Amino acid sequence: EIVLTQSPGTLSLSPGERATLSCRASQSVSSSYLAWYQQKPGQAPRLLIYGASSRATGIPDRFSGSGSGTDFTLTISRLEPEDFAVYYCQQYGSSRFTFGPGTKVDIK
Amino acid sequence: EVQLVQSGAEVKKPGESLKISCKGSGYSFTSYWIGWVRQMPGKGLEWMGIIYPGDSDTRYSPSFQGQVTISADKSISTAYLQWSSLKASDTAMYYCVRFATSSGSFDYWGQGTLVTVSS
C-alpha cells in the first residue's frame, strides 16, 4: 500500500501570504492520480486539484498543484480568509486509494 | 446538478446493526463508482471501499474488508454502507463520494452521515 506523508502538520500564516504544502509518497504515484482536497470545519471535503495540477471546477487560480513521482506540492499563492482549512492529498492506484494525514493551515 | 444526498445521523448501541444510504442524482448513477470514506472524530480521511452500481462490482480497503458491506440499488440510484454488529470504534462521520475514473479523484461528496455508537 502506498503511504502518503504530508508536511508540515500545521502551517501558520497570515492572509495574503503564500502557502506551500507538501505530499510525499512511499513509492511512485501516477501523476494522473494525485489529488488535493480542502476541508473546512463542519463541512465535507471538496476537490481542489486532480491529476496533480488540474484545478477542479470553480476552484480559484490562486490554488495550484505540481509534482511527479513521489513528491507533490499544493501552492496557495495569496491566502484569503476562506482558505484557512485542512488540506489532504490522495492517490489512486491498483484499485486502492490512500489519503495523507492532512496539513492544517491556520491564521497566524 | 450532481448531488449525493446521505441519510441522517444515527445513534446506536454496540452490537446493533445499521445501514446508511447515499442517493445520487444529476448524473448517470450506473456509470460512476461510488465510494465510502470514514472520518473519525478529529482525525483524517480513510477510504473504506467502492462499488460500481452498474454491475455491483465492489472493492474494499484491506482495513475494512469483513467489517462492513457496501451495496447499491441502481433502480433507485442509491448506495449503502452497512454494519452487522457495531462497535464504539465505529463512531465517525461517513461520506459517500463519486469516483471520477479518468482523474482518480473523488469529484463529488455527500454531506456526511454521523454515526454514534454508545451504550
Side-chain angles (χ1 to χ4, degrees):
Chain A
E1 176 182 294
I2 295 178
V3 176
L4 300 179
T5 303
Q6 292 187 242
S7 61
T10 302
L11 194 53
S12 297
L13 295 169
S14 301
E17 289 194 293
R18 181 184 189 89
T20 302
L21 287 66
S22 172
C23 176
R24 182 160 292 175
S26 60
Q27 52 188 284
S28 187
V29 171
S30 166
S31 295
S32 300
Y33 297 147
L34 193 287
W36 291 90
Y37 301 86
Q38 177 194 65
Q39 186 177 32
K40 298 179 183 179
Q43 296 185 18
R46 70 163 174 164
L47 177 65
L48 293 178
I49 301 287
Y50 63 91
S53 60
S54 298
R55 277 186 299 277
T57 303
I59 302 303
D61 61 8
R62 64 180 181 273
F63 291 93
S64 63
S66 63
S68 63
T70 60
D71 289 294
F72 298 88
T73 300
L74 174 69
T75 302
I76 311 171
S77 59
R78 295 171 310 280
L79 282 164
E80 297 287 341
E82 62 269 27
D83 299 337
F84 292 93
V86 180
Y87 293 84
Y88 296 95
C89 58
Q90 170 254 316
Q91 70 82 34
Y92 165 66
S94 302
S95 299
R96 297 284 185 266
F97 305 81
T98 51
F99 289 94
T103 289
K104 182 178 183 180
V105 179
D106 66 14
I107 300 176
K108 189 174 182 180
Chain B
E1 178 195 7
V2 174
Q3 285 192 307
L4 297 174
V5 178
Q6 297 184 229
S7 50
E10 301 274 1
V11 179
K12 291 289 190 178
K13 290 181 168 35
E16 291 186 331
S17 62
L18 176 64
K19 192 174 190 178
I20 63 175
S21 67
C22 168
K23 183 174 176 59
S25 63
Y27 72 100
S28 174
F29 186 73
T30 54
S31 299
Y32 287 83
W33 293 80
I34 290 285
W36 290 93
V37 173
R38 183 176 79 173
Q39 187 168 39
M40 299 178 78
K43 302 299 183 183
L45 305 172
E46 302 172 90
W47 171 67
M48 302 176 71
I50 200 161
I51 187 166
Y52 190 73
D55 61 7
S56 293
D57 185 8
T58 309
R59 317 282 171 85
Y60 292 94
S61 162
S63 298
F64 292 92
Q65 180 84 46
Q67 308 304 307
V68 296
T69 301
I70 293 171
S71 60
D73 184 341
K74 61 185 179 182
S75 70
I76 54 172
S77 301
T78 300
Y80 302 96
L81 177 65
Q82 68 180 85
W83 296 260
S84 58
S85 181
L86 287 160
K87 303 184 284 287
S89 58
D90 292 318
T91 294
M93 183 71 80
Y94 294 88
Y95 294 102
C96 65
V97 292
R98 192 181 82 162
F99 174 51
T101 311
S102 60
S103 68
S105 63
F106 300 125
D107 59 354
Y108 287 91
W109 293 64
Q111 83 277 18
T113 296
L114 180 62
V115 174
T116 303
V117 184
S118 174
S119 55

